[in-house]
Amino acid sequence: MAFARPLALWLVLVSLTGCATGTSDQDVQRAAEGPTAEEVFLNRFVGGYHRAPTFDESLAFRAELEQRVSDYLSKHPELNTSPRVSHFTFHRRVSVGMSREEVVLLVGAPDETTRGETEMQAAARQFWPAVKRHAGEMWVYPGGWQFYFDTDRLVDLTVVGKPPL
């Protein structure tokens, strides 16, 4: 357990480094599941503070996330029978089909948003022909993630600089 924090920091730094370097078309991956809430938290924390969060900071993040998820599920009991509920209660992972509200609940507000087709095409690269059928807006998150929305639903995900998912 003593090596878990340095390992987490190393993984985040490698992820951030991968985003900062040039990538080729093969470096874009399309996914049905995106990052976990903790992955986005770690990327943002390391990017902002240039260090891994302390145990107490991580614990506070998890407690606050747990409360947000619990509050959301109590306000939306229809999700209790949805296949998406496991993404909230266990995995804390963004997945295709979630609403904008659910995405923000798990991973916070995006770093950038765009409705520009040129920007979305550049991000999706070789996957653009499939992505463009439903994508009306793109949200950008740390770790190289792009989330594509059609009105209120997450319809596609791409990530740059990660091995095949």
Side-chain angles (χ1 to χ4, degrees):
M1 193 68 166
F3 70 92
R5 212 167 64 163
L7 179 61
L9 175 61
W10 180 81
L11 289 172
V12 170
L13 290 176
V14 167
S15 175
L16 291 173
T17 302
C19 295
T21 61
T23 58
S24 68
D25 283 7
Q26 289 74 30
D27 289 327
V28 174
Q29 298 295 322
R30 191 171 177 207
E33 293 186 347
T36 64
E38 188 148 353
E39 287 174 56
V40 174
F41 166 72
L42 283 172
N43 274 308
R44 284 185 169 149
F45 196 96
V46 171
Y49 294 102
H50 306 290
R51 65 174 177 83
T54 65
F55 176 77
D56 289 339
E57 289 165 334
S58 294
L59 191 61
F61 164 76
R62 287 185 197 106
E64 191 234 334
L65 178 62
E66 180 66 35
Q67 187 61 53
R68 284 195 326 254
V69 168
S70 177
D71 291 348
Y72 184 80
L73 291 174
S74 68
K75 291 177 186 170
H76 300 283
E78 71 279 4
L79 275 179
N80 290 325
T81 58
S82 168
R84 291 193 331 260
V85 75
S86 68
H87 291 284
F88 273 83
T89 56
F90 302 115
H91 306 291
R92 306 283 198 245
R93 181 178 297 280
V94 173
S95 65
V96 169
M98 286 184 167
S99 70
R100 290 173 187 259
E101 183 180 18
E102 293 165 351
V103 169
V104 171
L105 178 125
L106 285 179
V107 294
D111 291 350
E112 299 175 40
T113 64
T114 185
R115 291 182 179 271
E117 188 170 324
T118 304
E119 293 89 353
M120 290 191 286
Q121 181 177 4
R125 297 184 190 164
Q126 73 269 25
F127 298 109
W128 181 241
V131 171
K132 77 176 178 179
R133 290 182 296 174
H134 302 289
E137 183 175 10
M138 179 179 75
W139 291 6
V140 178
Y141 281 87
W145 287 98
Q146 296 88 32
F147 299 1
Y148 302 90
F149 288 88
D150 178 15
T151 61
D152 184 51
R153 291 283 164 204
L154 181 63
V155 293
D156 227 310
L157 296 156
T158 59
V159 62
V160 176
K162 300 233 189 276
L165 303 172

